[in-house]
Each structure stands twice: as structure tokens, then as C-alpha cells.
Amino acid sequence: MTTTTFEAPEAPAKPTSAAALPPMNRCIDMPRFELGERLTPEQIEFLDTFGFIRFKSFLPRAEVAKLVEEVEAIDARLVAEGRTVINGVPLILGKRKDGRGFVQRMCFSSTFGERLHAFLQDPRFKAILEIAGPGYRIGERERDGLVINHYRREEGSSYKRLGWHTDSLRDLFYFEMPRRYLNVGFYLDDSPIEKGGVRLIPFSHQQGLWPMLTRKAHFMDTDADPAEYALVAEAGDLTIHDGRIWHRVAEASATGDASQRRVMYVPLMEGPEKLKDENSPTPVYFRLRRFARF
């Protein structure tokens, strides 16, 4: 595995060695950032320049294990109840090799578990809300709430990878202009390169609306890009990426349990509060899921 180190430049510029390295083997080796009560100027500069950042050991592994225990209990409950939709948002369901069902994209998760709800009350999230912009909040019952993605590569899995996309483009389906917002991920499992994982194109968050719409076929294009980098993480790490950046989720080279990769995404919202309930309609973009698997 080849590791390429980003060094924050005074002005954004693509790493000169990127094109010479094979796609999917170029990992991001960034400083060991840790999140405190506020982001430091260095951390803010890194995020603004490259469009992403990783914070090591946001929670210790013992605390992660408690969250995993609750996530698995909620998963079992939803499967037992035969739930396919929560607050208008469809669940993505898969089956293990032995035929047991499981949830591969779980939405509004914190409304089903006390530990997950308490996780969103961590005071360090105030530091992220502060840099997100004025008026931002954690929206447990807005959009998709706290989302947990569960990727596995095995027969029966419905969620093995995710094509190229920008998160900000989703605003168009809510009749809003795409804007900057921060996508905050928390890792429940170790995510080495063998598990696939997030691939990002650094600096692409600086693009205008036209390249955001046309650079790639959203969700349909799953091919590696010569400019992409792999974001690897460990259980307990927290990542942030700018919603305007091009990114995808690569399929694992490992299979079965060795491919399992679970990440929670914290919902940051601004503007008027738009709470969802069981009577909420299904957003149009989810009706395209059978074509693009998102």
C-alpha cells in the first residue's frame, strides 16, 4: 500500500505526485488531529483547503462497543418488526449468508436508542456547529436524522459500494440551491483500505455549480478516479467532509465479516426546522434507489 502525505499549502494546489500512484491505493496521511472544545486554526485551514479532515479517537473503543451493542439491538428490532420505512425514508435491507436479515442503511437511529441520542449531545459537536455556520443545529428528526451505513461484501448484501456524488446536490430535491454544509461521520468499525471505504477528490469542494452537476454521473459512476484518495479510519474516529466535495464508497476487497464497515452520519441542519414523522412523504431521490443503490 502506498501512502501519500498531504501538506497544507499556502494556496490550494493538487499534490504533484497524485497521478503517478494507482487509484484506491493512495491513502491520506494527515496530522493526528484531535477534536477539543474548538477547532484549531490549523484544523480549520486543513478542512477548508482539502475539503475533509479526520479526528482520531473521538471516543475510546470501550464506548464505541456500547454504541455498537445498541445499534445491533435496534437493527434486530427493525427486522423483527418488518420495518421498511421510517418517517418516509426507506431502509436499505440485506441478508447475511445464513439468510438472516439486517439493516444496511438505518435512518433516524437516535430516536430508537438512548445511547445514540446521548452521543449526539456530546459538547464537542458545538465546535463543529460553530464552523458549520450561524444557526446550525443537530437535526435528529430532520432529513434522514442520524444515519448508520452498514457495508458488507457478500451474497445477499444490498449495500456494497456507493457511486460518485456530492451531498450538496441533494438540496435540489428540496427545491433549494446546493450549499456548503458539513458531513460528519463516526466510525463504529476499523476501516482499513481492504474494506473499501470513502474515496475523495481533494479540492473538488471548490467547484462551481456546473461541475457539481456534470463532472460525473451521480451515483451511477463507480469507477476509480486518478485524482482520488482513500480515507482510512479506526473505530472511534470522527471525520468531516464538505458536502460539495466529490466522493464515493469503494467496494471492499475482503468478504464476509472481514468486510464489515459501519459508519454513523450526524445530521447538521440550518434554516427553518422541518421535522419528519411517520406521515412524511418519501423524497423523490429515494425513488431512484433501485437504479443507483443509495
Side-chain angles (χ1 to χ4, degrees):
M1 178 178 70
T2 303
T3 301
T4 297
T5 302
F6 280 130
E7 294 182 357
E10 294 182 1
K14 291 186 177 181
T16 57
S17 60
L21 296 168
M24 300 180 65
N25 288 316
R26 293 179 288 109
C27 295
I28 297 165
D29 184 12
M30 68 181 73
R32 187 181 174 85
F33 293 126
E34 294 185 0
L35 184 61
E37 294 182 359
R38 288 192 171 185
L39 272 73
T40 67
E42 178 189 11
Q43 292 167 352
I44 294 173
E45 180 184 19
F46 193 99
L47 174 61
D48 288 346
T49 300
F50 298 110
F52 55 84
I53 192 170
R54 180 189 63 212
F55 296 100
K56 297 297 296 180
S57 302
F58 183 81
L59 285 184
R61 286 183 179 267
E63 294 300 315
V64 177
K66 293 178 182 178
L67 292 177
V68 168
E69 181 181 30
E70 184 167 77
V71 168
E72 292 177 345
I74 296 170
D75 183 300
R77 170 187 168 184
L78 295 176
V79 171
E81 293 177 355
R83 298 288 292 269
T84 59
V85 176
I86 298 176
N87 297 342
V89 179
L91 301 175
I92 295 181
L93 304 172
K95 286 191 175 182
R96 298 187 187 276
K97 189 175 181 179
D98 61 7
R100 288 181 297 134
F102 68 111
V103 183
Q104 296 202 256
R105 187 180 192 273
M106 186 187 300
C107 52
F108 301 100
S109 307
S110 63
T111 64
F112 291 91
E114 294 181 2
R115 293 175 184 171
L116 294 177
H117 172 73
F119 170 77
L120 294 181
Q121 314 313 309
D122 191 300
R124 288 172 293 178
F125 284 127
K126 292 181 180 179
I128 299 174
L129 293 172
E130 184 178 277
I131 64 165
Y136 269 84
R137 63 188 177 275
I138 293 178
E140 286 191 79
R141 295 180 179 272
E142 299 178 73
R143 289 286 175 94
D144 300 351
L146 179 65
V147 169
I148 302 176
N149 288 331
H150 187 167
Y151 293 95
R152 287 178 67 93
R153 182 185 175 189
E154 64 183 353
E155 185 178 352
S157 175
S158 300
Y159 218 30
K160 301 177 183 179
R161 65 184 182 183
L162 194 61
W164 287 105
H165 63 285
T166 62
D167 299 316
S168 292
L169 195 64
R170 185 178 296 183
D171 291 335
L172 294 178
F173 291 94
Y174 286 91
F175 304 104
E176 300 170 358
M177 284 298 294
R179 61 192 184 279
R180 174 188 185 266
Y181 68 89
L182 302 180
N183 197 323
V184 181
F186 178 77
Y187 282 70
L188 297 173
D189 298 301
D190 290 339
S191 184
I193 199 166
E194 293 79 14
K195 290 189 177 183
V198 177
R199 306 290 190 260
L200 308 108
I201 300 179
F203 316 106
S204 60
H205 63 299
Q206 300 167 359
Q207 66 194 337
L209 179 60
W210 184 246
M212 185 184 297
L213 292 170
T214 63
R215 180 168 178 171
K216 294 182 180 293
H218 272 74
F219 296 104
M220 302 299 292
D221 183 355
T222 60
D223 293 339
D225 188 290
E228 74 179 34
Y229 280 77
L231 179 57
V232 297
E234 297 177 318
D237 290 353
L238 184 140
T239 63
I240 304 174
H241 69 256
D242 190 303
R244 299 168 297 181
I245 200 169
W246 279 102
H247 61 288
R248 69 183 180 106
V249 177
E251 187 172 344
S253 58
T255 59
D257 290 344
S259 69
Q260 180 165 276
R261 178 178 169 276
R262 292 168 293 188
V263 184
M264 304 197 304
Y265 284 96
V266 178
L268 303 188
M269 299 297 302
E270 67 167 341
E273 191 176 51
K274 299 177 182 179
L275 301 180
K276 288 190 175 182
D277 57 34
E278 290 298 326
N279 296 315
S280 297
T282 298
V284 174
Y285 55 85
F286 280 113
R287 301 185 185 279
L288 305 176
R289 184 179 70 83
R290 66 179 184 274
F291 299 111
R293 292 296 186 193
F294 71 95

